[in-house]
Amino acid sequence: MLPASIFLLCCSLLRAAQPIPPDKRIPATIPATISAPADQPMHMPTDVAVDSKGRIFVADGANDRVLQFAPDGKLEQIITDPGNQKLNRPVGITIDSADQLWIADTGNHRLIVLAPDGLQATPITPLQIDNAYPPNPTDLAVTPDRKRTYVVDNTHHRILVRDNHTRQWSSLGAPGQAAGQFQYPFMISIGLDNDVYVSETIGTRVQRISASDRWAGQIGQFGVELGRFYRPKGLATDSAGRLFVADSTIGAIQVFTPRGALQGVLTDPVGQPLRFQHPMGICFDKQGKLYVVELKANRVAIVSLQPEKK
């Protein structure tokens, strides 16, 4: 296994020194980064979310907290026990259309929903298999109409779905490699048409689930060439519906159409893949800026994309 992996890493376009083919380049720059103060540094952050006011939230689970930054990158608040609900290794976060912050409080096997003013926090316990094996939520996503919440249950290899009106839960998937099965799903995102995208770190692919909870296709497979994944993690959809996928091992972000056709990879001014230090969760703000958590660098990179050519 090791020699083959080294061979792939050495020969791949994504890893080699040669530039990306021009038709697969998506030019991007990193004009700024966000870090915590030196006396309260982040340690292996995993996810990021931005609300309608431009406030930036970062899951800093190794420190049992979520950090809130102002739009200018200044630390505003450290969230450790919202509503007296002490956080334990929060991994995934998202902002819904009402500016509520949803936290996958992984170590406590639950979700926390924090009101926009930060004054009210609601704990939610996801569907449990049995008393011996509580859910292990690593990420979550809420539909634009806020009717449903999708939760990644990582170690149980499934997606949990909550009807936010009835508060009833259902489950999608099972352990395995077939269509509609999962191998350690990790992060999740909802596209413009309400399709759900799920990254699998060990399954080394992204699966697409339709709004009617049917399996709707697979994006990528194991490898380090263009269009393939080594350790896919963060997912985000831009205003045009394109799917961005961060690969933490390769350190690059690839871009696909909603149905999974490769469009390209983020590149620097000379056509090389734009490199990130172990990218994890990613998201877009209202202005179209891409935020990328760099776990190894303990920061968030703010990425500016060139407008698509028409």
Side-chain angles (χ1 to χ4, degrees), residues 33-292:
T33 60
I34 296 174
S35 301
D39 60 342
Q40 299 190 67
M42 289 188 276
H43 181 57
M44 301 175 66
T46 50
D47 205 4
V48 61
V50 182
D51 69 10
S52 65
K53 298 178 181 178
R55 297 181 300 180
I56 304 139
F57 298 83
V58 182
D60 187 19
N63 288 321
D64 298 324
R65 63 187 188 174
V66 173
L67 303 182
Q68 177 185 319
F69 295 88
D72 63 3
K74 181 180 179 181
L75 181 63
E76 287 186 327
Q77 184 180 185
I78 298 175
I79 302 169
T80 58
D81 56 348
N84 294 319
Q85 305 290 329
K86 187 172 178 58
L87 299 178
N88 182 5
R89 292 187 293 108
V91 173
I93 56 176
T94 193
I95 297 286
D96 68 19
S97 58
D99 266 355
Q100 296 182 117
L101 174 66
W102 291 68
I103 304 171
D105 190 16
T106 309
N108 285 321
H109 311 286
R110 66 182 180 182
L111 316 178
I112 297 289
V113 185
L114 187 60
D117 59 9
L119 299 179
Q120 181 179 353
T122 304
I124 298 173
T125 301
L127 177 70
Q128 191 164 323
I129 296 176
D130 54 49
N131 292 330
Y133 299 100
N136 184 39
T138 54
D139 200 17
L140 68 175
V142 184
T143 56
D145 60 12
R146 296 189 292 132
K147 291 183 177 180
R148 307 183 98 193
T149 298
Y150 292 83
V151 180
V152 177
D153 190 1
N154 175 261
T155 54
H156 299 120
H157 314 286
R158 64 179 184 167
I159 304 301
L160 303 176
V161 186
R162 183 180 190 256
D163 183 312
N164 292 328
H165 176 67
T166 66
R167 301 181 181 179
Q168 297 298 306
W169 289 90
S170 57
S171 177
L172 301 173
Q177 302 177 28
Q181 297 179 335
F182 298 100
Q183 287 185 293
Y184 293 98
F186 189 66
M187 287 190 159
I188 194 166
S189 180
I190 297 177
L192 297 186
D193 54 3
N194 281 346
D195 278 357
V196 178
Y197 298 94
V198 182
S199 64
E200 295 177 73
T201 53
I202 303 303
T204 59
R205 62 183 176 178
V206 173
Q207 291 201 66
R208 183 163 61 98
I209 303 169
S210 73
S212 58
D213 294 341
R214 294 183 178 275
W215 184 79
Q218 172 181 318
I219 302 171
Q221 56 184 304
F222 177 76
V224 288
E225 300 88 356
L226 283 170
R228 294 175 177 248
F229 305 121
Y230 199 94
R231 284 291 182 267
K233 297 286 178 61
L235 306 168
T237 302
D238 70 3
S239 60
R242 298 183 299 174
L243 177 68
F244 289 63
V245 184
D247 192 310
S248 61
T249 298
I250 301 301
I253 294 179
Q254 297 189 76
V255 183
F256 300 83
T257 67
R259 295 191 176 275
L262 175 69
Q263 286 201 335
V265 59
L266 300 192
T267 54
D268 63 19
V270 296
Q272 296 283 355
L274 190 62
R275 297 295 183 189
F276 301 91
Q277 296 187 52
H278 206 99
M280 298 290 286
I282 61 179
C283 76
F284 283 94
D285 67 10
K286 299 295 184 182
Q287 287 70 46
K289 290 181 295 187
L290 177 65
Y291 293 73
V292 181

